[in-house]
Amino acid sequence: MNRARSRATALFRRVVMINGLIFTLGTLILALSPATVSARVKLTEIPVLIVGLAVMLTANALLLRRSLAPMLKSERSTASATALAAQENERQRIARELHDEIGQTLTVALLVLKRAVDRAPVEIRNELAETQEAVRSGLDEVRSIARRLRPDALEDLGLNSALAALCSEFTQAAGITVVKHIASQVDRLPPDIELVCYRVAQESLTNVARHADADKVWLDLHTTPHRLTLRIADDGKGGVTREGAGINGMRERALLVNADLTITSPRGEGTEVRLYIPLSGQVD
Ligand SMILES: Nc1ncnc2c1ncn2[C@@H]1O[C@H](COP(=O)(O)OP(=O)(O)O)[C@@H](O)[C@H]1O
Ligand SMILES: [Mg+2]
């Protein structure tokens, strides 16, 4: 509240100062230049007036834009932080509903089916058993979607374990080996930093599975007192040229914690995503 008010005050001052400057300059030019306007404005004087007005308005707009740029920028990054937080909350909600509601319904269906299979006449036992299999894999899918939406492990066990779990799920689903070096951390990192790392690793691995044609992935995480580095590299086809919603999402998340995200992807030589996060709250 206080911060919002002092920002508004600063904004007000700047606008007044810039407008004042423009008016003063305009008046000076009028006073010093030979231009005059008759008591009843003549037709020939109108273009001069219009040009003068246009010059003043343009100068005003340019100065205002330059001077407000830092404010607009910080506004935008606050807006994107809010949007990302809303997205995380929404994911949590959907994950909970998937897990608690559909998951619960399917679990009950499985139990009923199990009893039915045991007592069913032989003619339909096979079909029932197949139904049971289908429901079971539906339940697995729902659980794994819920897990992807909401990284439980992150909250409960911290980044290292959550990344390890992510890697083993990825290997299971995509059949691609992950060589991981995750330095053990003494302390837990701040939650927003952990979440950014997790989401960047998740999107990078998803991209490897979807686009890379890779046999192998490397995931390294290490920290110094001042910096955390996360690297996800693959030996696939490389050649990333287009940045879609996935990569843009990673960049936006990186911005939230003042991090740098670089992607190097020479064609035919695999892709490497690196995330550098300054630690101890300082931008280095
Ligand atoms: N690891 C990768 N290997 C090869 N190509 C990739 C890799 N990651 C991303 N790409 C390419 O970059 C594009 C943009 O990725 P992204 O922004 O995540 O969007 P999406 O995954 O939705 O297509 C992908 O469509 C793909 O062509
Ligand atoms: Mg993607």
Side-chain angles (χ1 to χ4, degrees):
M1 183 70 197
N2 255 345
R3 242 176 98 197
R5 181 169 308 152
S6 67
R7 267 170 146 219
T9 315
L11 182 69
F12 176 73
R13 285 211 188 108
R14 280 192 200 186
V15 172
V16 168
M17 262 178 49
I18 288 173
N19 281 336
L21 186 72
I22 295 287
F23 286 142
T24 314
L25 277 180
T27 313
L28 272 180
I29 288 173
L30 266 185
L32 299 178
S33 76
T36 52
V37 175
S38 318
R40 273 201 66 198
V41 178
K42 284 190 203 133
L43 218 55
T44 49
E45 292 166 352
I46 290 180
V48 179
L49 285 179
I50 292 179
V51 169
L53 190 63
V55 168
M56 261 168 46
L57 289 178
T58 315
N60 201 19
L62 287 179
L63 279 176
L64 276 176
R65 196 169 66 188
R66 259 193 62 185
S67 143
L68 300 187
M71 273 183 179
L72 294 175
K73 195 171 159 221
S74 93
E75 195 98 313
R76 262 201 303 279
S77 77
T78 316
S80 99
T82 316
L84 283 173
Q87 192 193 66
E88 285 298 338
N89 285 339
E90 188 64 7
R91 286 186 177 187
Q92 294 240 355
R93 189 184 64 75
I94 298 171
R96 222 175 9 250
E97 281 180 11
L98 277 177
H99 188 270
D100 297 355
E101 295 179 18
I102 304 184
Q104 202 50 35
T105 313
L106 290 180
T107 309
V108 172
L110 259 187
L111 288 175
V112 176
L113 271 172
K114 185 173 179 338
R115 281 205 302 270
V117 170
D118 292 343
R119 298 205 322 254
V122 242
E123 310 93 79
I124 61 163
R125 200 168 282 174
N126 268 347
E127 275 94 334
L128 271 186
E130 277 168 27
T131 317
Q132 199 183 10
E133 260 326 293
V135 174
R136 200 193 315 275
S137 67
L139 184 60
D140 286 344
E141 278 160 23
V142 165
R143 284 192 178 140
S144 98
I145 292 173
R147 247 198 325 274
R148 254 174 281 151
L149 286 168
R150 178 181 55 176
D152 272 336
L154 193 55
E155 270 165 41
D156 303 343
L157 308 169
L159 185 60
N160 296 7
S161 313
L163 285 180
L166 190 67
C167 289
S168 40
E169 257 171 51
F170 169 81
T171 301
Q172 220 175 30
I176 303 174
T177 317
V178 183
V179 183
K180 54 178 189 295
H181 293 283
I182 305 179
S184 58
Q185 260 115 45
V186 189
D187 292 317
R188 287 285 302 260
L189 295 159
D192 53 342
I193 288 188
E194 292 196 334
L195 191 58
V196 171
C197 287
Y198 186 84
R199 291 298 188 203
V200 166
Q202 194 176 30
E203 172 61 27
S204 302
L205 288 177
T206 307
N207 277 348
V208 174
R210 284 176 56 193
H211 311 295
D213 270 335
D215 296 321
K216 218 168 172 186
V217 178
W218 292 265
L219 184 146
D220 310 314
L221 174 77
H222 65 262
T223 56
T224 64
H226 301 294
R227 184 155 93 160
L228 174 152
T229 309
L230 173 69
R231 167 179 169 268
I232 301 102
D234 67 63
D235 64 352
K237 62 182 186 208
V240 175
T241 48
R242 192 184 64 83
E243 305 211 339
I247 294 177
N248 282 331
M250 292 199 278
R251 293 204 185 282
E252 274 173 28
R253 282 171 196 282
L255 271 186
L256 291 183
V257 291
N258 284 321
D260 267 340
L261 184 100
T262 61
I263 298 173
T264 33
S265 185
R267 191 172 297 282
E269 291 175 44
T271 301
E272 184 182 76
V273 176
R274 277 173 181 268
L275 176 75
Y276 303 103
I277 308 185
L279 294 178
S280 66
Q282 299 298 312
V283 186
D284 64 6

Short mmCIF file of all heavy atoms in Angstrom, two decimals, residues 106-159:
data_model
loop_
_atom_site.label_atom_id
_atom_site.label_comp_id
_atom_site.label_asym_id
_atom_site.label_seq_id
_atom_site.Cartn_x
_atom_site.Cartn_y
_atom_site.Cartn_z
N LEU A 106 -11.81 -43.98 -9.69
CA LEU A 106 -11.19 -45.11 -10.38
C LEU A 106 -10.75 -46.18 -9.39
O LEU A 106 -10.82 -47.39 -9.68
CB LEU A 106 -9.99 -44.63 -11.21
CG LEU A 106 -10.34 -43.79 -12.44
CD1 LEU A 106 -9.07 -43.37 -13.17
CD2 LEU A 106 -11.24 -44.57 -13.40
N THR A 107 -10.31 -45.75 -8.22
CA THR A 107 -9.89 -46.73 -7.21
C THR A 107 -11.07 -47.59 -6.79
O THR A 107 -10.96 -48.82 -6.68
CB THR A 107 -9.31 -46.01 -5.97
OG1 THR A 107 -8.32 -45.09 -6.42
CG2 THR A 107 -8.70 -46.98 -5.01
N VAL A 108 -12.22 -46.94 -6.58
CA VAL A 108 -13.41 -47.69 -6.22
C VAL A 108 -13.80 -48.65 -7.35
O VAL A 108 -14.06 -49.84 -7.12
CB VAL A 108 -14.59 -46.72 -5.91
CG1 VAL A 108 -15.88 -47.50 -5.71
CG2 VAL A 108 -14.28 -45.89 -4.68
N ALA A 109 -13.78 -48.16 -8.59
CA ALA A 109 -14.12 -49.01 -9.73
C ALA A 109 -13.21 -50.24 -9.79
O ALA A 109 -13.67 -51.35 -10.05
CB ALA A 109 -14.00 -48.20 -11.02
N LEU A 110 -11.92 -50.02 -9.48
CA LEU A 110 -10.97 -51.15 -9.50
C LEU A 110 -11.32 -52.20 -8.47
O LEU A 110 -11.27 -53.42 -8.75
CB LEU A 110 -9.56 -50.62 -9.20
CG LEU A 110 -8.62 -50.44 -10.37
CD1 LEU A 110 -7.24 -50.08 -9.85
CD2 LEU A 110 -8.56 -51.69 -11.23
N LEU A 111 -11.69 -51.73 -7.27
CA LEU A 111 -12.05 -52.67 -6.19
C LEU A 111 -13.27 -53.51 -6.57
O LEU A 111 -13.29 -54.74 -6.41
CB LEU A 111 -12.34 -51.91 -4.90
CG LEU A 111 -11.13 -51.33 -4.19
CD1 LEU A 111 -11.54 -50.49 -2.99
CD2 LEU A 111 -10.18 -52.46 -3.79
N VAL A 112 -14.29 -52.82 -7.11
CA VAL A 112 -15.51 -53.52 -7.52
C VAL A 112 -15.18 -54.54 -8.61
O VAL A 112 -15.61 -55.70 -8.57
CB VAL A 112 -16.57 -52.51 -8.01
CG1 VAL A 112 -17.80 -53.24 -8.53
CG2 VAL A 112 -16.94 -51.56 -6.89
N LEU A 113 -14.37 -54.09 -9.57
CA LEU A 113 -14.01 -54.98 -10.67
C LEU A 113 -13.27 -56.21 -10.17
O LEU A 113 -13.48 -57.32 -10.65
CB LEU A 113 -13.11 -54.23 -11.66
CG LEU A 113 -13.82 -53.47 -12.77
CD1 LEU A 113 -12.81 -52.64 -13.54
CD2 LEU A 113 -14.52 -54.45 -13.72
N LYS A 114 -12.43 -56.00 -9.18
CA LYS A 114 -11.63 -57.11 -8.66
C LYS A 114 -12.57 -58.18 -8.07
O LYS A 114 -12.41 -59.37 -8.35
CB LYS A 114 -10.67 -56.60 -7.60
CG LYS A 114 -9.71 -57.66 -7.09
CD LYS A 114 -8.68 -57.04 -6.16
CE LYS A 114 -7.71 -58.07 -5.60
NZ LYS A 114 -8.17 -59.46 -5.59
N ARG A 115 -13.56 -57.70 -7.30
CA ARG A 115 -14.54 -58.66 -6.75
C ARG A 115 -15.31 -59.35 -7.87
O ARG A 115 -15.53 -60.55 -7.84
CB ARG A 115 -15.52 -57.93 -5.82
CG ARG A 115 -14.96 -57.66 -4.44
CD ARG A 115 -16.05 -57.52 -3.42
NE ARG A 115 -16.99 -56.44 -3.78
CZ ARG A 115 -16.82 -55.18 -3.40
NH1 ARG A 115 -15.81 -54.84 -2.64
NH2 ARG A 115 -17.68 -54.25 -3.79
N ALA A 116 -15.68 -58.57 -8.90
CA ALA A 116 -16.47 -59.13 -10.00
C ALA A 116 -15.67 -60.19 -10.75
O ALA A 116 -16.19 -61.25 -11.08
CB ALA A 116 -16.90 -58.01 -10.94
N VAL A 117 -14.37 -59.90 -10.97
CA VAL A 117 -13.54 -60.86 -11.71
C VAL A 117 -13.51 -62.20 -10.98
O VAL A 117 -13.66 -63.27 -11.58
CB VAL A 117 -12.11 -60.32 -11.91
CG1 VAL A 117 -11.18 -61.40 -12.45
CG2 VAL A 117 -12.09 -59.12 -12.83
N ASP A 118 -13.38 -62.14 -9.67
CA ASP A 118 -13.28 -63.37 -8.90
C ASP A 118 -14.54 -64.22 -9.01
O ASP A 118 -14.48 -65.45 -8.99
CB ASP A 118 -13.03 -63.02 -7.41
CG ASP A 118 -11.64 -62.42 -7.24
OD1 ASP A 118 -10.82 -62.58 -8.19
OD2 ASP A 118 -11.38 -61.76 -6.22
N ARG A 119 -15.69 -63.57 -9.10
CA ARG A 119 -16.95 -64.32 -9.10
C ARG A 119 -17.56 -64.49 -10.48
O ARG A 119 -18.61 -65.12 -10.59
CB ARG A 119 -17.97 -63.58 -8.22
CG ARG A 119 -17.57 -63.44 -6.76
CD ARG A 119 -18.77 -63.30 -5.89
NE ARG A 119 -19.80 -62.47 -6.56
CZ ARG A 119 -20.07 -61.22 -6.22
NH1 ARG A 119 -19.43 -60.65 -5.23
NH2 ARG A 119 -20.99 -60.52 -6.88
N ALA A 120 -16.94 -63.93 -11.52
CA ALA A 120 -17.58 -63.91 -12.83
C ALA A 120 -17.55 -65.29 -13.50
O ALA A 120 -16.60 -66.06 -13.29
CB ALA A 120 -16.88 -62.90 -13.72
N PRO A 121 -18.58 -65.58 -14.28
CA PRO A 121 -18.55 -66.81 -15.07
C PRO A 121 -17.41 -66.74 -16.09
O PRO A 121 -17.04 -65.64 -16.54
CB PRO A 121 -19.91 -66.81 -15.79
CG PRO A 121 -20.53 -65.46 -15.57
CD PRO A 121 -19.85 -64.84 -14.42
N VAL A 122 -16.88 -67.90 -16.42
CA VAL A 122 -15.68 -67.94 -17.28
C VAL A 122 -15.82 -67.16 -18.58
O VAL A 122 -14.84 -66.56 -19.03
CB VAL A 122 -15.29 -69.40 -17.66
CG1 VAL A 122 -13.93 -69.75 -17.15
CG2 VAL A 122 -16.36 -70.37 -17.23
N GLU A 123 -17.05 -67.17 -19.19
CA GLU A 123 -17.19 -66.52 -20.51
C GLU A 123 -16.80 -65.05 -20.47
O GLU A 123 -16.28 -64.53 -21.48
CB GLU A 123 -18.65 -66.58 -21.05
CG GLU A 123 -19.29 -67.95 -21.02
CD GLU A 123 -20.08 -68.13 -19.73
OE1 GLU A 123 -21.21 -67.63 -19.60
OE2 GLU A 123 -19.50 -68.79 -18.83
N ILE A 124 -17.07 -64.40 -19.39
CA ILE A 124 -16.78 -62.95 -19.40
C ILE A 124 -15.57 -62.59 -18.54
O ILE A 124 -15.21 -61.43 -18.40
CB ILE A 124 -18.00 -62.11 -18.96
CG1 ILE A 124 -18.40 -62.47 -17.54
CG2 ILE A 124 -19.15 -62.25 -19.91
CD1 ILE A 124 -19.30 -61.42 -16.90
N ARG A 125 -14.91 -63.57 -18.00
CA ARG A 125 -13.81 -63.27 -17.10
C ARG A 125 -12.68 -62.50 -17.80
O ARG A 125 -12.13 -61.55 -17.27
CB ARG A 125 -13.28 -64.56 -16.48
CG ARG A 125 -12.50 -64.32 -15.21
CD ARG A 125 -12.23 -65.57 -14.42
NE ARG A 125 -13.38 -66.01 -13.65
CZ ARG A 125 -13.42 -67.15 -12.97
NH1 ARG A 125 -12.39 -67.97 -12.99
NH2 ARG A 125 -14.50 -67.49 -12.29
N ASN A 126 -12.39 -62.95 -19.06
CA ASN A 126 -11.32 -62.26 -19.81
C ASN A 126 -11.62 -60.79 -20.04
O ASN A 126 -10.76 -59.94 -19.83
CB ASN A 126 -11.11 -62.93 -21.17
CG ASN A 126 -10.04 -63.99 -21.05
OD1 ASN A 126 -9.33 -64.03 -20.04
ND2 ASN A 126 -9.94 -64.86 -22.05
N GLU A 127 -12.86 -60.53 -20.50
CA GLU A 127 -13.23 -59.14 -20.77
C GLU A 127 -13.12 -58.31 -19.49
O GLU A 127 -12.60 -57.20 -19.50
CB GLU A 127 -14.66 -59.02 -21.30
CG GLU A 127 -14.78 -59.22 -22.78
CD GLU A 127 -15.12 -60.67 -23.11
OE1 GLU A 127 -14.77 -61.56 -22.30
OE2 GLU A 127 -15.74 -60.89 -24.16
N LEU A 128 -13.60 -58.90 -18.41
CA LEU A 128 -13.55 -58.17 -17.14
C LEU A 128 -12.10 -57.87 -16.74
O LEU A 128 -11.77 -56.77 -16.29
CB LEU A 128 -14.24 -58.96 -16.04
CG LEU A 128 -15.74 -58.72 -15.88
CD1 LEU A 128 -16.25 -59.46 -14.65
CD2 LEU A 128 -16.05 -57.23 -15.74
N ALA A 129 -11.26 -58.87 -16.94
CA ALA A 129 -9.86 -58.67 -16.57
C ALA A 129 -9.24 -57.57 -17.42
O ALA A 129 -8.45 -56.75 -16.93
CB ALA A 129 -9.08 -59.98 -16.74
N GLU A 130 -9.63 -57.52 -18.71
CA GLU A 130 -9.11 -56.45 -19.57
C GLU A 130 -9.59 -55.08 -19.10
O GLU A 130 -8.82 -54.10 -19.09
CB GLU A 130 -9.54 -56.66 -21.03
CG GLU A 130 -8.64 -57.63 -21.77
CD GLU A 130 -9.24 -58.06 -23.10
OE1 GLU A 130 -10.03 -57.27 -23.68
OE2 GLU A 130 -8.92 -59.18 -23.55
N THR A 131 -10.89 -55.04 -18.72
CA THR A 131 -11.43 -53.78 -18.20
C THR A 131 -10.64 -53.34 -16.98
O THR A 131 -10.27 -52.17 -16.82
CB THR A 131 -12.91 -53.95 -17.80
OG1 THR A 131 -13.56 -54.69 -18.81
CG2 THR A 131 -13.59 -52.61 -17.62
N GLN A 132 -10.36 -54.31 -16.14
CA GLN A 132 -9.61 -54.03 -14.92
C GLN A 132 -8.23 -53.42 -15.27
O GLN A 132 -7.82 -52.42 -14.68
CB GLN A 132 -9.42 -55.35 -14.19
CG GLN A 132 -9.08 -55.23 -12.73
CD GLN A 132 -8.85 -56.61 -12.12
OE1 GLN A 132 -8.76 -57.63 -12.83
NE2 GLN A 132 -8.75 -56.65 -10.81
N GLU A 133 -7.58 -54.00 -16.27
CA GLU A 133 -6.28 -53.48 -16.71
C GLU A 133 -6.40 -52.03 -17.19
O GLU A 133 -5.59 -51.17 -16.85
CB GLU A 133 -5.71 -54.34 -17.85
CG GLU A 133 -4.68 -55.34 -17.42
CD GLU A 133 -3.82 -54.84 -16.27
OE1 GLU A 133 -3.06 -53.88 -16.50
OE2 GLU A 133 -3.93 -55.38 -15.14
N ALA A 134 -7.46 -51.80 -18.00
CA ALA A 134 -7.66 -50.46 -18.56
C ALA A 134 -7.88 -49.44 -17.44
O ALA A 134 -7.30 -48.36 -17.45
CB ALA A 134 -8.83 -50.44 -19.53
N VAL A 135 -8.71 -49.83 -16.46
CA VAL A 135 -8.97 -48.89 -15.36
C VAL A 135 -7.69 -48.65 -14.57
O VAL A 135 -7.38 -47.52 -14.18
CB VAL A 135 -10.10 -49.42 -14.45
CG1 VAL A 135 -10.25 -48.52 -13.23
CG2 VAL A 135 -11.40 -49.51 -15.20
N ARG A 136 -6.92 -49.72 -14.39
CA ARG A 136 -5.68 -49.55 -13.63
C ARG A 136 -4.73 -48.59 -14.35
O ARG A 136 -4.15 -47.71 -13.72
CB ARG A 136 -4.99 -50.91 -13.42
CG ARG A 136 -4.00 -50.89 -12.26
CD ARG A 136 -3.09 -52.11 -12.24
NE ARG A 136 -3.82 -53.37 -12.45
CZ ARG A 136 -4.44 -54.07 -11.51
NH1 ARG A 136 -4.43 -53.65 -10.27
NH2 ARG A 136 -5.05 -55.20 -11.80
N SER A 137 -4.63 -48.73 -15.69
CA SER A 137 -3.68 -47.82 -16.33
C SER A 137 -4.24 -46.41 -16.37
O SER A 137 -3.48 -45.44 -16.31
CB SER A 137 -3.24 -48.33 -17.72
OG SER A 137 -4.31 -48.30 -18.59
N GLY A 138 -5.59 -46.29 -16.43
CA GLY A 138 -6.18 -44.95 -16.31
C GLY A 138 -5.81 -44.30 -14.99
O GLY A 138 -5.45 -43.12 -14.94
N LEU A 139 -5.87 -45.09 -13.94
CA LEU A 139 -5.52 -44.57 -12.61
C LEU A 139 -4.05 -44.14 -12.55
O LEU A 139 -3.71 -43.08 -12.03
CB LEU A 139 -5.81 -45.65 -11.56
CG LEU A 139 -5.61 -45.27 -10.10
CD1 LEU A 139 -6.51 -44.10 -9.72
CD2 LEU A 139 -5.92 -46.46 -9.20
N ASP A 140 -3.18 -44.98 -13.14
CA ASP A 140 -1.76 -44.59 -13.18
C ASP A 140 -1.56 -43.29 -13.92
O ASP A 140 -0.78 -42.43 -13.50
CB ASP A 140 -0.93 -45.69 -13.89
CG ASP A 140 -0.76 -46.89 -13.00
OD1 ASP A 140 -1.02 -46.75 -11.78
OD2 ASP A 140 -0.39 -47.97 -13.51
N GLU A 141 -2.29 -43.14 -15.08
CA GLU A 141 -2.12 -41.92 -15.86
C GLU A 141 -2.57 -40.69 -15.06
O GLU A 141 -1.88 -39.68 -15.03
CB GLU A 141 -2.93 -41.99 -17.16
CG GLU A 141 -2.19 -42.77 -18.24
CD GLU A 141 -3.13 -43.27 -19.33
OE1 GLU A 141 -4.22 -42.70 -19.51
OE2 GLU A 141 -2.76 -44.25 -20.00
N VAL A 142 -3.74 -40.83 -14.43
CA VAL A 142 -4.25 -39.70 -13.65
C VAL A 142 -3.25 -39.31 -12.57
O VAL A 142 -2.94 -38.14 -12.36
CB VAL A 142 -5.61 -40.05 -13.01
CG1 VAL A 142 -5.96 -39.05 -11.92
CG2 VAL A 142 -6.70 -40.05 -14.06
N ARG A 143 -2.69 -40.33 -11.90
CA ARG A 143 -1.72 -40.01 -10.85
C ARG A 143 -0.48 -39.35 -11.41
O ARG A 143 0.06 -38.43 -10.81
CB ARG A 143 -1.33 -41.30 -10.11
CG ARG A 143 -2.43 -41.73 -9.18
CD ARG A 143 -1.94 -42.82 -8.26
NE ARG A 143 -2.99 -43.20 -7.34
CZ ARG A 143 -3.25 -44.45 -6.98
NH1 ARG A 143 -2.52 -45.44 -7.46
NH2 ARG A 143 -4.21 -44.70 -6.12
N SER A 144 -0.04 -39.82 -12.59
CA SER A 144 1.21 -39.23 -13.05
C SER A 144 0.96 -37.82 -13.59
O SER A 144 1.81 -36.94 -13.46
CB SER A 144 1.93 -40.15 -14.05
OG SER A 144 1.68 -39.77 -15.37
N ILE A 145 -0.23 -37.58 -14.17
CA ILE A 145 -0.54 -36.21 -14.59
C ILE A 145 -0.60 -35.29 -13.37
O ILE A 145 -0.04 -34.19 -13.37
CB ILE A 145 -1.89 -36.15 -15.36
CG1 ILE A 145 -1.75 -36.87 -16.68
CG2 ILE A 145 -2.29 -34.70 -15.61
CD1 ILE A 145 -3.05 -37.02 -17.44
N ALA A 146 -1.23 -35.79 -12.31
CA ALA A 146 -1.33 -34.97 -11.09
C ALA A 146 0.06 -34.66 -10.55
O ALA A 146 0.35 -33.55 -10.11
CB ALA A 146 -2.16 -35.69 -10.04
N ARG A 147 0.96 -35.67 -10.61
CA ARG A 147 2.32 -35.45 -10.10
C ARG A 147 3.06 -34.41 -10.92
O ARG A 147 3.79 -33.58 -10.40
CB ARG A 147 3.09 -36.76 -10.14
CG ARG A 147 3.43 -37.29 -8.77
CD ARG A 147 4.53 -38.32 -8.79
NE ARG A 147 4.53 -39.19 -9.94
CZ ARG A 147 3.83 -40.31 -10.06
NH1 ARG A 147 3.03 -40.71 -9.08
NH2 ARG A 147 3.90 -41.05 -11.14
N ARG A 148 2.85 -34.48 -12.27
CA ARG A 148 3.52 -33.50 -13.12
C ARG A 148 3.01 -32.09 -12.83
O ARG A 148 3.74 -31.12 -12.90
CB ARG A 148 3.29 -33.84 -14.60
CG ARG A 148 4.53 -34.41 -15.25
CD ARG A 148 4.22 -34.84 -16.65
NE ARG A 148 3.55 -36.14 -16.68
CZ ARG A 148 2.70 -36.51 -17.62
NH1 ARG A 148 2.36 -35.69 -18.59
NH2 ARG A 148 2.16 -37.70 -17.59
N LEU A 149 1.71 -31.98 -12.59
CA LEU A 149 1.14 -30.65 -12.33
C LEU A 149 1.61 -30.08 -11.00
O LEU A 149 1.85 -28.90 -10.87
CB LEU A 149 -0.39 -30.73 -12.32
CG LEU A 149 -1.05 -30.88 -13.68
CD1 LEU A 149 -2.51 -31.24 -13.51
CD2 LEU A 149 -0.92 -29.59 -14.46
N ARG A 150 1.70 -30.98 -10.03
CA ARG A 150 2.06 -30.48 -8.70
C ARG A 150 3.26 -31.22 -8.16
O ARG A 150 3.16 -32.39 -7.77
CB ARG A 150 0.87 -30.67 -7.75
CG ARG A 150 1.16 -30.21 -6.34
CD ARG A 150 -0.01 -30.45 -5.43
NE ARG A 150 -0.43 -31.86 -5.46
CZ ARG A 150 -1.39 -32.34 -4.68
NH1 ARG A 150 -2.04 -31.56 -3.88
NH2 ARG A 150 -1.71 -33.62 -4.75
N PRO A 151 4.41 -30.60 -8.17
CA PRO A 151 5.58 -31.33 -7.71
C PRO A 151 5.59 -31.49 -6.18
O PRO A 151 6.23 -30.73 -5.48
CB PRO A 151 6.74 -30.46 -8.18
CG PRO A 151 6.17 -29.11 -8.37
CD PRO A 151 4.71 -29.23 -8.59
N ASP A 152 4.83 -32.49 -5.72
CA ASP A 152 4.77 -32.77 -4.28
C ASP A 152 6.14 -32.95 -3.67
O ASP A 152 6.44 -32.42 -2.60
CB ASP A 152 4.03 -34.10 -4.05
CG ASP A 152 2.54 -33.84 -3.93
OD1 ASP A 152 2.18 -32.71 -3.57
OD2 ASP A 152 1.78 -34.78 -4.19
N ALA A 153 6.94 -33.70 -4.41
CA ALA A 153 8.26 -34.03 -3.89
C ALA A 153 9.05 -32.77 -3.58
O ALA A 153 9.85 -32.74 -2.64
CB ALA A 153 9.02 -34.90 -4.88
N LEU A 154 8.80 -31.73 -4.35
CA LEU A 154 9.54 -30.49 -4.17
C LEU A 154 9.26 -29.90 -2.78
O LEU A 154 10.18 -29.51 -2.06
CB LEU A 154 9.12 -29.51 -5.25
CG LEU A 154 9.97 -28.26 -5.44
CD1 LEU A 154 11.40 -28.62 -5.66
CD2 LEU A 154 9.44 -27.45 -6.60
N GLU A 155 7.97 -29.85 -2.45
CA GLU A 155 7.62 -29.29 -1.15
C GLU A 155 8.09 -30.18 0.00
O GLU A 155 8.59 -29.70 1.01
CB GLU A 155 6.11 -29.11 -1.04
CG GLU A 155 5.66 -27.74 -1.52
CD GLU A 155 4.17 -27.69 -1.76
OE1 GLU A 155 3.42 -28.25 -0.94
OE2 GLU A 155 3.77 -27.10 -2.79
N ASP A 156 7.94 -31.50 -0.20
CA ASP A 156 8.23 -32.41 0.91
C ASP A 156 9.71 -32.67 1.08
O ASP A 156 10.23 -32.69 2.19
CB ASP A 156 7.50 -33.74 0.71
CG ASP A 156 6.00 -33.51 0.58
OD1 ASP A 156 5.55 -32.42 0.98
OD2 ASP A 156 5.30 -34.40 0.08
N LEU A 157 10.39 -32.89 -0.05
CA LEU A 157 11.76 -33.40 0.07
C LEU A 157 12.83 -32.44 -0.43
O LEU A 157 14.01 -32.69 -0.27
CB LEU A 157 11.89 -34.71 -0.72
CG LEU A 157 10.84 -35.77 -0.40
CD1 LEU A 157 10.91 -36.88 -1.41
CD2 LEU A 157 11.06 -36.31 1.02
N GLY A 158 12.40 -31.38 -1.10
CA GLY A 158 13.39 -30.44 -1.60
C GLY A 158 13.79 -30.73 -3.04
O GLY A 158 13.42 -31.75 -3.62
N LEU A 159 14.57 -29.79 -3.58
CA LEU A 159 14.89 -29.81 -5.00
C LEU A 159 15.64 -31.07 -5.44
O LEU A 159 15.31 -31.67 -6.45
CB LEU A 159 15.72 -28.56 -5.32
CG LEU A 159 16.05 -28.34 -6.78
CD1 LEU A 159 14.79 -28.21 -7.61
CD2 LEU A 159 16.92 -27.11 -6.96
#
